[in-house]
Amino acid sequence: MARLAQTHGLTDVQQEILATVRDFVDKEIIPVATELEHRDEYPQQIVDGLKELGVFGLMIPEEYGGLGESLLTYALCVEEIARGWMSVSGIINTHFIVAYMLKQHGTQEQKEYFLPRMAAGETRGAFSMSEPGLGSDVSAITSKAVKDGEEYVLNGQKMWLTNGGTSTLVAVLVRSDEGHPEGTAPHKSMTTFLVEKEAGFGEVRPGLTIPGKIDKMGYKGVDTTELIMDGLRIPANRVLGGVTGRGFYQMMDGVEVGRVNVAARGCGVAQRAFELGVSYAQQRHTFGKAIAQHQAIQFKLAEMATKVEAAHAMMVNAARKKDSGERNDLEAGMAKYLASEYCKEVVEDAFRIHGGYGFSKEYEIERLYREAPMLLIGEGTAEIQKMIIGRRLLEEYRFQG
Ligand SMILES: Cc1cc2nc3c(=O)[nH]c(=O)nc-3n(C[C@H](O)[C@H](O)[C@H](O)COP(=O)(O)OP(=O)(O)OC[C@H]3O[C@@H](n4cnc5c(N)ncnc54)[C@H](O)[C@@H]3O)c2cc1C
């Protein structure tokens, strides 16, 4: 992007990483993305390339074999990757959230065991909160863990696992009333389990089944699955952080950085839609001139570019806030909300600029049009973001009368 979505104050190392990722996106992702997406094919070659670039370990500390980079660097890389193909950023996102949760909340043994493997991309992460009966209302989780000697026995059904099939480590949130008296608040009786499994579908570990891929309107290539636990036995040392009852907070911490990530994906997809729209508008002629010369189309381009800039600025602000060690739930919620809504609007405008051709599978905008809605839902819908934003505002601006 020549002019839009610039980020000031980056270090030489950050600039170098971004330039490398951008080059990879232009050469290895954009030329093949639409074809792979139409075939719903897992982008193995792209994933291998990103592994080699160290993207899977971008934020994992150097002592565990990662690059030890900031959330900002990570988010800017995700923005670039989503500009190429949103599904690829989805492959990295759940891995990143699980690595982040391990880094923040794992025991020393868990960090030493998992993080080097995750940095190398050998172990690949997925995270699982949603169930068939709930997504927004995490406190209503019904999957359950019961202690049995030195193990826990897990039962229940999970829904919508991004990378459910390809991952080999799933952070699963379940109810665990053990040690917590009856009537304990729901969010205080939940535990995150680190569940290792084989990649693939079917019974991937005794008591654990990944039935198959969910067929989706977009966000193809990346696998999204259910997960069924039926007497799944997990050793006590695979409770994240070693103590039960902390799972809700651990997951919410993970989702908070995940929201910056989804905002970054919205920025990347919107940028690509703008690029496609501004290019097409200068090639297509109607009534004797390029449609870009009609004021109505120029206004659309102006609105699109303004939204790209605004979303990028808010996403960068949210990432920097977290990197500075401050609470960023307000900024992350705002960035996720705004970037995903603007993404959908910019994509729709680019689609309209393409006229009838936007409806043809030959044009990239058709893919973006099916991808953008996922960002309105993942890591919390717009309504959930507004609930978080509203609550935080009332804390900050408490009436002093
Ligand atoms: C492609 C895809 C990948 C996903 N990947 C994952 C994953 O990897 N891991 C995971 O755990 N989950 C994942 N999810 C699940 C996702 O997080 C949920 O779909 C999302 O949180 C919404 O939950 P829901 O679908 O149950 O909708 P619901 O919670 O049933 O909401 C339905 C509607 O009601 C609104 N609503 C709900 N509560 C309120 C309220 N209090 N006030 C006002 N409006 C409200 C919502 O905004 C929405 O519009 C994925 C989903 C998709 C589609």
Side-chain angles (χ1 to χ4, degrees):
M1 176 71 48
R3 173 76 187 252
L4 299 180
Q6 299 291 319
T7 314
H8 298 290
L10 296 180
T11 64
D12 289 348
V13 174
Q14 286 175 312
Q15 287 181 29
E16 202 180 308
I17 293 173
L18 275 175
T20 308
V21 171
R22 189 174 305 140
D23 190 52
F24 182 85
V25 168
D26 285 336
K27 292 191 180 133
E28 310 292 335
I29 301 186
I30 290 180
V32 296
T34 299
E35 206 184 317
L36 288 176
E37 201 267 354
H38 288 164
R39 293 206 300 263
D40 197 6
E41 187 174 318
Y42 189 76
Q44 191 56 55
Q45 211 173 320
I46 293 173
V47 169
D48 291 343
L50 290 174
K51 233 190 251 183
E52 240 167 73
L53 292 183
V55 170
F56 284 92
L58 209 51
M59 258 189 91
I60 294 176
E62 282 170 303
E63 59 185 300
Y64 299 111
L67 297 178
E69 271 297 325
S70 62
L71 179 60
L72 177 63
T73 314
Y74 180 79
L76 293 174
C77 288
V78 165
E79 183 180 39
E80 291 294 342
I81 292 168
R83 184 184 141 258
W85 184 10
M86 210 268 283
S87 295
V88 178
S89 61
I91 290 171
I92 299 160
N93 182 36
T94 63
H95 177 86
F96 151 76
I97 292 179
V98 176
Y100 173 83
M101 283 166 61
L102 270 161
K103 181 178 84 139
Q104 295 297 110
H105 307 287
T107 63
Q108 193 55 33
E109 183 275 328
Q110 289 167 351
K111 288 184 210 179
E112 282 169 14
Y113 179 77
F114 287 114
L115 288 178
R117 292 172 170 81
M118 294 190 83
E122 286 162 18
T123 293
R124 300 263 301 283
F127 85 99
S128 174
M129 294 194 295
S130 304
E131 296 185 356
L134 64 101
S136 307
D137 187 6
V138 177
S139 65
I141 277 180
T142 58
S143 297
K144 210 167 167 20
V146 175
K147 194 151 195 220
D148 182 20
E150 283 310 296
E151 291 180 324
Y152 286 84
V153 182
L154 276 59
N155 283 290
Q157 190 175 345
K158 291 290 184 180
M159 185 72 189
W160 297 118
L161 275 86
T162 302
N163 300 306
T166 40
S167 57
T168 51
L169 170 65
V170 188
V172 185
L173 185 64
V174 300
R175 191 166 295 289
S176 58
D177 294 334
E178 173 256 341
H180 310 289
E182 197 70 16
T184 304
H187 54 280
K188 288 192 176 150
S189 57
M190 287 194 197
T191 298
T192 307
F193 284 88
L194 299 167
V195 178
E196 289 180 272
K197 68 174 187 65
E198 293 289 318
F201 300 97
E203 194 170 16
V204 287
R205 171 180 177 153
L208 179 64
T209 302
I210 305 286
K213 282 178 15 173
I214 297 169
D215 202 10
K216 298 165 295 189
M217 72 182 265
Y219 200 40
K220 289 174 183 276
V222 57
D223 51 295
T224 308
T225 72
E226 295 172 51
L227 176 149
I228 298 164
M229 299 173 287
D230 183 10
L232 170 66
R233 300 189 82 85
I234 303 292
N237 68 357
R238 288 299 170 256
V239 167
L240 179 62
V243 182
T244 58
R246 294 188 182 161
F248 185 86
Y249 299 104
Q250 294 163 343
M251 281 279 177
M252 289 305 127
D253 190 24
V255 165
E256 206 169 286
V257 288
R259 285 188 179 134
V260 176
N261 182 291
V262 174
R265 289 153 83 177
C267 293
V269 174
Q271 280 170 41
R272 185 65 186 156
F274 174 78
E275 287 171 17
L276 296 173
V278 76
S279 165
Y280 187 85
Q282 292 168 78
Q283 295 166 56
R284 181 72 172 173
H285 286 71
T286 67
F287 301 93
K289 52 185 173 183
I291 58 171
Q293 298 309 321
H294 297 303
Q295 195 180 49
I297 299 292
Q298 260 180 40
F299 277 12
K300 259 196 213 312
L301 293 171
E303 285 164 12
M304 291 158 72
T306 306
K307 288 173 183 173
V308 164
E309 280 295 86
H312 178 82
M314 286 194 76
M315 179 273 287
V316 168
N317 180 48
R320 284 195 159 135
K321 190 104 182 167
K322 188 78 178 178
D323 285 334
S324 73
E326 287 179 71
R327 184 174 170 184
N328 84 334
D329 53 349
L330 177 68
E331 292 74 14
M334 285 178 167
K336 196 273 166 181
Y337 168 50
L338 186 105
S340 58
E341 296 290 332
Y342 276 2
C343 173
K344 182 190 70 94
E345 292 169 17
V346 171
V347 166
E348 169 141 3
D349 276 344
F351 169 79
R352 286 173 192 260
I353 286 173
H354 279 73
Y357 290 101
F359 217 65
S360 161
K361 280 189 171 267
E362 273 185 42
Y363 284 76
E364 200 178 325
I365 192 65
E366 178 271 343
R367 168 170 66 80
L368 270 53
Y369 196 84
R370 288 181 292 101
E371 285 176 342
M374 151 60 191
L375 299 170
L376 300 170
I377 307 292
E379 313 292 358
T381 62
E383 287 72 28
I384 297 304
Q385 305 311 319
K386 284 190 257 186
M387 279 163 61
I388 295 166
I389 296 166
R391 277 188 205 135
R392 283 289 283 127
L393 289 176
L394 291 175
E395 275 176 37
E396 292 285 334
Y397 293 87
R398 205 179 293 278
F399 179 59
Q400 303 289 345

